[in-house]
């Protein structure tokens, strides 16, 4: 699973900025976003891939060979395929999750949108995402890009964070509040 709680490093920001500039120049922002989402999905689903991404034990050649095979299997080529190969070759694969997050931040700022980090217990359907985007746009008065994550530990409901504001309507938080209230009564 990608680490969304870590700060975006300067390295990740610089690589993301370079990727953004290239994607903008090539008029390929949407395609690059789609390919990065595919890579992120692979990271979320494959512990082996995340081990490869995070582990300093693998050499640059081993990482490059593994990443190249994975990209080919996933059908990811072009700008993103080359980008991931370059960062593997430069021994920066560990920063890939941060680079993806930084790229999204740059794109949403470029589009005049605001990012909403949404955590749910189960993946949200397209209809759920559309309704949530509409509600957030009405509440914030601006377009919203949703960075959806799944965390089964919240049990149900949603945790929505936009900037410094957070709304936690998760079942886990409600149960914890109830537990505290019951302790105070007893």
């Amino acid at each position: 699973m990608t680490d969304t709680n870590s700060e975006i490093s300067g390295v990740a920001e610089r690589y993301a900025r370079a990727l953004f500039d290239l994607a903008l120049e090539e008029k390929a922002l949407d395609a690059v976003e789609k390919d990065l989402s595919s890579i992120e999905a692979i990271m979320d689903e494959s512990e082996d891939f995340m081990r490869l991404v995070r582990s300093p034990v693998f050499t640059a050649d081993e990482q490059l060979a593994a990443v190249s095979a994975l990209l080919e299997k996933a059908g990811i080529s072009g700008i993103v395929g080359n980008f991931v190969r370059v960062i593997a070759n430069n021994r920066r694969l560990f920063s890939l999750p941060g680079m993806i997050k930084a790229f999204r931040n740059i794109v949403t700022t470029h589009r005049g949108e605001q990012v909403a980090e949404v955590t749910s217990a189960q993946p949200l359907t397209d209809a759920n995402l559309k309704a949530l985007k509409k509600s957030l746009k009405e509440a914030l008065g601006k377009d919203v890009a949703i960075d959806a994550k799944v965390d089964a530990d919240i049990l149900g409901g949603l945790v929505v964070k936009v900037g410094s504001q957070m709304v936690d309507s998760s079942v886990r938080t409600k149960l914890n509040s109830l537990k505290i209230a019951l302790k105070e009564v007893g």
Side-chain angles (χ1 to χ4, degrees):
M1 201 158 142
T2 56
D3 184 9
T4 58
N5 295 328
S6 66
E7 291 294 317
I8 297 171
S9 72
V11 169
E13 181 71 32
R14 284 190 302 275
Y15 275 83
R17 173 58 64 186
L19 179 61
F20 171 79
D21 290 344
L22 181 59
L24 194 60
E25 181 181 310
E26 297 291 322
K27 296 177 177 39
L29 275 180
D30 291 338
V32 168
E33 272 187 298
K34 182 178 178 268
D35 285 348
L36 288 177
S37 291
S38 296
I39 289 172
E40 192 172 49
I42 294 167
M43 287 190 295
D44 286 344
E45 294 167 7
S46 173
E47 289 181 31
D48 289 339
F49 182 59
M50 281 311 295
R51 224 178 339 274
L52 174 75
V53 166
R54 289 191 177 131
S55 178
V57 174
F58 298 103
T59 66
D61 290 339
E62 290 169 331
Q63 285 183 327
L64 182 58
V67 162
S68 293
L70 183 105
L71 291 170
E72 187 176 322
K73 184 178 179 185
I76 298 170
S77 59
I79 294 172
V80 173
N82 291 338
F83 175 77
V84 174
R85 285 182 185 92
V86 166
I87 64 173
N89 198 43
N90 291 348
R91 304 284 295 153
R92 298 285 188 258
L93 204 54
F94 66 91
S95 290
L96 183 57
M99 290 174 191
I100 293 171
K101 185 175 177 109
F103 180 84
R104 281 203 179 106
N105 290 345
I106 294 166
V107 169
T108 55
T109 300
H110 172 75
R111 291 180 175 155
E113 299 173 333
Q114 197 158 6
V115 178
E117 295 177 15
V118 178
T119 306
S120 59
Q122 296 179 354
L124 297 173
T125 65
D126 288 341
N128 293 141
L129 287 170
K130 188 176 179 181
L132 185 57
K133 262 186 166 183
K134 183 180 177 195
S135 295
L136 288 171
K137 183 177 181 172
E138 288 171 4
L140 300 170
K142 97 189 313 191
D143 286 332
V144 177
I146 295 182
D147 182 12
K149 301 293 177 205
V150 176
D151 181 0
D153 291 341
I154 70 167
L155 303 175
L158 295 174
V159 178
V160 180
K161 183 178 178 192
V162 181
S164 62
Q165 297 178 326
M166 184 169 90
V167 176
D168 186 343
S169 66
S170 67
V171 172
R172 178 182 60 193
T173 299
K174 290 177 182 180
L175 288 173
N176 285 340
S177 298
L178 183 61
K179 185 168 82 175
I180 291 169
L182 289 172
K183 282 183 180 180
E184 290 174 0
V185 170

